[in-house]
Amino acid sequence: MTRLAGWGRFRPVEARVARMRSEADVAVALAAGGPVIARGNGRAYGDSAVSPGVTLDMRGMDRMLAFDPATGVLVAEAGVLLSEIIACLLPRGWFPSVTPGTRYVTLGGAIAADVHGKNHHVDGGFGAFVDWVEVMGPDGRVTRAEAGSDLFSWTVGGMGLTGVILRAAIRLRRVETGWICQETRATAGLDEAIDVFEGAMDAPYSVAWIDCVTEGPHLGRSLVMLGRHAGVGDLPAARRRDPFGVPRKRRLTVPLDLPGLALNRWTVGAFNAAYYRLGARKPGPALVPWDSYFYPLDAIGDWNRIYGRRGFVQFQCVLPEDSARRGLHRLVEVIAASGQGSFLSVLKRFGPQDSRFAFPRAGYTLALDFPAHDGSLDLMQTLDRITLEHGGRFYLAKDARMPRAVLEAADDRVAAFRAMRAATGAAGRFVSLQSERLGL
Amino acid sequence: MSGRVQGPVLILGATSDMARAIARDFAARGCDIQLAAREPERLEADRADLVTRYGVGVTLHAVDALDVDSHAGFVAGLPALPRVAVSAIGLMGEQAENAADMTRAATILRANFEGPASLMGVLANAMEARGSGTLVGISSVAGERGRASNYVYGSAKAGFTAYLSGLRNRLAKKGVHVVTVLPGFVATRMTEGMDLPARLVAQPEEVGAAVLAAVEKGRDVIYVRPVWRLIMAIIRALPERVFKKTSI
């Protein structure tokens, strides 16, 4: 038995974990008959990848099987990390077409959560660049599900609940350099931030850090960061000979759990004010290495420990286009008034996406962390309610505590998902603590 | 040998977690890799992985550590005599079974001592004739002192450690270097499910990095996590009349 939780380290449980090194290992684990769930690198925040039965640690299946430099298609096992894909293929001029805010996620996890990146408004989610997935079903049979097939569309965003993702083929993006041309725009408030997003729908990447602490006229002031992959011509002459080389950063690690009091309304408020001023002081264009642009937090190992022993919870919802402006105002007002605003609050425009069960849809997504305690859990119930009032829905890869009724009210796709699970025999076989809690 | 490592690199017992990590580290240096195991068909995905990640040449070979008579033919049949040969062959079994069943115990002794020693011996002779090469034997801290909890495995590893030490002594002036690796606890299939203190458990990737560094720097005996040097010094220093009453 191992003590296991998600990245938020919230409510860990004693769990049975078995390392999978091959398809045969997965078949043996399934043949035992009990409930299982696949786990990648444990970066889902809540209990998505903790099974009440056996949790299958897929990191042992991390082989890259083939790469075609003519098409940019990579075939790999589910347990390979995006960081390994980048280390291997960026020097050859390829980058993941969609990447979340950490590169320490597995391929299988990225598909199961249909993760999104800063380019969702243009390109859609991770699943849009997957050609096929191979899934082991409840009977141990392996099916290669091509994009567009039933099994494929349930599996992308299906949180591992259709079967165990073993392998996939993904299309990478050609890049000329390892650098990003970034432009930062400081906005005085939330409305202006939304206006900047709306005016930048053709920017390849866009994301905003949003201040959820400050109340009053500057409510929701933001730093909107736009970006595009730099071409060789964008680099200073000295860098053109090695366009994929970027300065090596020292990786810091949080060595211990900080005391719960380290983050409070004053330290977080001071951080937000300083961060905003820093960004507002030097806005405009800049050339930024790929790792600082896409993965600022990856530079700090085990950063989840700064929230202390009780861990933290993340809230992430998406609000549809027509109600997003009103809904975001309400959400940020309530968060700022609560004094619990976090220093990692992110606002992002989503483009259209129509999927069976995946999270993204056209509109705005807001994500933020809270140290786990009674006050923040109460606040999140209020945020749930505001999200529902504005027709929004929730990101299961972040969720650790949502009640079943909230999911059902938010997402009219739940019934069809349950029916699929019952019909395929996946229900009862592929089970996470989250799927139990939400009755999926 | 010191300086930049050259291939090909032969990995014996290539299906193990440590072997996979070691193969990747040498392939990342641009070395061609020869993977050998009893069932080489199980290594197809690993071959594809090394080729895809590092663009090196990879060949697969069948070898049975227990079939000593086949070892000379196995080495002669390799596409090239390796520059570096790593033995990651090992079998722990269950101590209770190994203690009760002497047939079982003999298999453990042969798989951890006789087989790897025979393969290293054949390779040593060929490398000596060539006048260059590096042999790496993955032995174990369990061989440093016999303990009730795994003395069958431990005694075989003790034999292998002594064998490597002797090879190193014999070949020191012949251009062939021998590295003994005493990994300590490593998170592998072998230790899965054991309740081990997390600070003492290395990841297979740490073993890979340590082996590569040892080959490049010409080190003789390495522990993967330095704390093990201290732990084993203490365990070796305990007087027998004290040690025999402990349960470590």
Side-chain angles (χ1 to χ4, degrees), chain B residues 123-201:
Chain B
L123 287 157
N125 295 345
M127 287 181 177
E128 183 185 17
R130 183 178 61 190
S132 68
T134 301
L135 295 167
V136 180
I138 311 279
S139 192
S140 172
V141 296
E144 302 280 274
R145 196 159 190 178
R147 293 174 294 126
S149 56
N150 70 348
Y151 64 86
V152 178
Y153 172 80
S155 60
K157 287 295 196 181
F160 189 45
T161 299
Y163 187 90
L164 292 168
S165 163
L167 272 185
R168 179 162 44 243
N169 188 204
R170 176 189 133 197
L171 298 171
K173 289 179 183 153
K174 303 288 175 64
V176 179
H177 182 60
V178 180
V179 182
T180 306
V181 184
L182 305 172
F185 299 142
V186 183
T188 64
R189 203 187 326 248
M190 206 184 250
T191 57
E192 197 164 304
M194 293 184 187
D195 190 20
L196 302 173
R199 277 171 194 282
L200 300 182
V201 181

Side-chain angles (χ1 to χ4, degrees), chain A residues 75-415:
Chain A
V75 178
E77 291 181 337
V80 71
L81 296 176
L82 292 194
S83 62
E84 300 174 86
I85 294 174
I86 295 167
C88 174
L89 292 172
L90 178 58
R92 297 182 223 172
W94 298 91
F95 198 77
S97 295
V98 169
T99 176
T102 169
R103 61 191 183 277
Y104 300 119
V105 296
T106 60
L107 175 60
I111 293 169
D114 191 24
V115 297
H116 52 270
K118 300 173 184 185
N119 56 341
H120 188 278
H121 61 290
V122 194
D123 293 322
F126 195 89
F129 297 88
V130 179
D131 283 351
W132 51 259
V133 284
E134 284 181 354
V135 181
M136 187 176 287
D139 53 0
R141 266 214 347 252
V142 177
T143 307
R144 178 176 291 195
E146 305 279 347
S149 68
D150 256 10
L151 177 59
F152 182 94
S153 35
W154 285 120
T155 298
V156 171
M159 301 306 288
L161 299 172
T162 61
V164 178
I165 300 173
L166 299 173
R167 282 172 284 268
I170 59 168
R171 269 168 288 130
L172 304 187
R173 165 190 312 273
R174 250 225 173 283
V175 294
E176 283 184 28
T177 75
W179 297 80
I180 300 294
C181 294
Q182 176 182 276
E183 189 187 335
T184 303
R185 299 200 197 152
T187 72
L190 179 58
D191 279 316
E192 195 187 333
I194 293 174
D195 293 341
V196 170
F197 273 117
E198 294 304 315
M201 287 301 282
D202 55 350
Y205 295 110
S206 66
V207 69
W209 166 84
I210 177 169
D211 179 349
C212 286
V213 177
T214 304
E215 300 186 68
H218 295 306
L219 182 87
R221 64 182 178 179
S222 301
L223 299 173
V224 187
M225 290 165 264
L226 310 178
R228 63 177 173 84
H229 287 281
V232 175
D234 293 311
L235 301 188
R239 292 219 175 269
R240 287 183 197 167
R241 286 183 45 192
D242 178 21
F244 299 107
V246 297
R248 275 184 92 85
K249 274 164 218 67
R250 225 170 46 142
R251 193 159 186 260
L252 304 171
T253 294
V254 179
L256 75 177
D257 299 347
L258 293 188
L261 283 175
L263 296 183
N264 55 49
R265 72 184 301 166
W266 292 281
T267 56
V268 170
F271 173 86
N272 273 261
Y275 190 87
Y276 180 82
R277 274 199 302 274
L278 204 66
R281 203 183 324 138
K282 44 172 196 178
L287 202 55
V288 187
W290 62 273
D291 49 351
S292 330
Y293 182 78
F294 289 106
Y295 315 111
L297 281 173
D298 283 353
I300 307 164
D302 296 335
W303 66 261
N304 51 349
R305 301 183 74 172
I306 64 174
Y307 285 98
R309 208 168 276 284
R310 278 180 304 183
F312 71 105
V313 283
Q314 185 162 81
F315 177 83
Q316 184 168 359
C317 67
V318 56
L319 300 178
E321 287 165 307
D322 53 4
S323 62
R325 200 176 281 264
R326 269 180 298 123
L328 287 171
H329 269 283
R330 286 284 295 134
L331 288 168
V332 180
E333 270 164 24
V334 167
I335 296 162
S338 76
Q340 299 187 44
S342 76
F343 66 104
L344 296 169
S345 309
V346 173
L347 180 65
K348 164 82 197 117
R349 177 72 154 97
F350 275 167
Q353 180 173 338
D354 183 21
S355 36
R356 280 279 180 57
F357 199 60
F359 165 64
R361 58 171 294 172
Y364 279 84
T365 183
L366 177 70
L368 62 165
D369 300 336
F370 299 100
H373 54 69
D374 292 347
S376 60
L377 293 171
D378 287 348
L379 172 64
M380 289 179 85
Q381 291 188 16
T382 311
L383 302 181
D384 287 351
R385 193 166 37 77
I386 297 171
T387 304
L388 292 180
E389 285 165 9
H390 293 84
R393 68 185 182 217
F394 305 93
Y395 191 10
L396 294 185
K398 301 292 181 69
D399 162 59
R401 36 62 56 190
M402 189 183 4
R404 185 180 298 196
V406 172
L407 175 73
E408 287 167 353
D411 206 328
D412 55 14
R413 305 171 301 176
V414 169

Side-chain angles (χ1 to χ4, degrees), chain A residues 17-19 21 25 59-67 74-75 77 80 84 88-89 92, chain B residues 15 17 20 24 44-46 48-55 187-190 192 203 205:
Chain A
V17 180
R19 185 130 175 134
R21 296 171 175 85
D25 286 353
R59 282 286 288 127
M61 286 183 72
D62 67 344
R63 300 167 187 94
M64 298 190 205
L65 301 172
F67 179 70
L74 171 73
V75 178
E77 291 181 337
V80 71
E84 300 174 86
C88 174
L89 292 172
R92 297 182 223 172
Chain B
T15 52
D17 292 330
R20 271 171 69 184
R24 280 184 180 172
E44 278 298 347
D46 293 292
D49 181 58
L50 295 170
V51 170
T52 306
R53 284 185 192 233
Y54 308 111
T188 64
R189 203 187 326 248
M190 206 184 250
E192 197 164 304
Q203 294 305 308
E205 292 73 28

Side-chain angles (χ1 to χ4, degrees), chain B residues 14 26 42 49 59 73 116 118 139 148 153 160 162 169 228-230 235:
Chain B
F26 281 97
R42 282 175 57 200
D49 181 58
T59 49
S118 162
S139 192
Y153 172 80
F160 189 45
N169 188 204
W228 279 99
R229 196 174 285 277
L230 176 68
I235 289 179

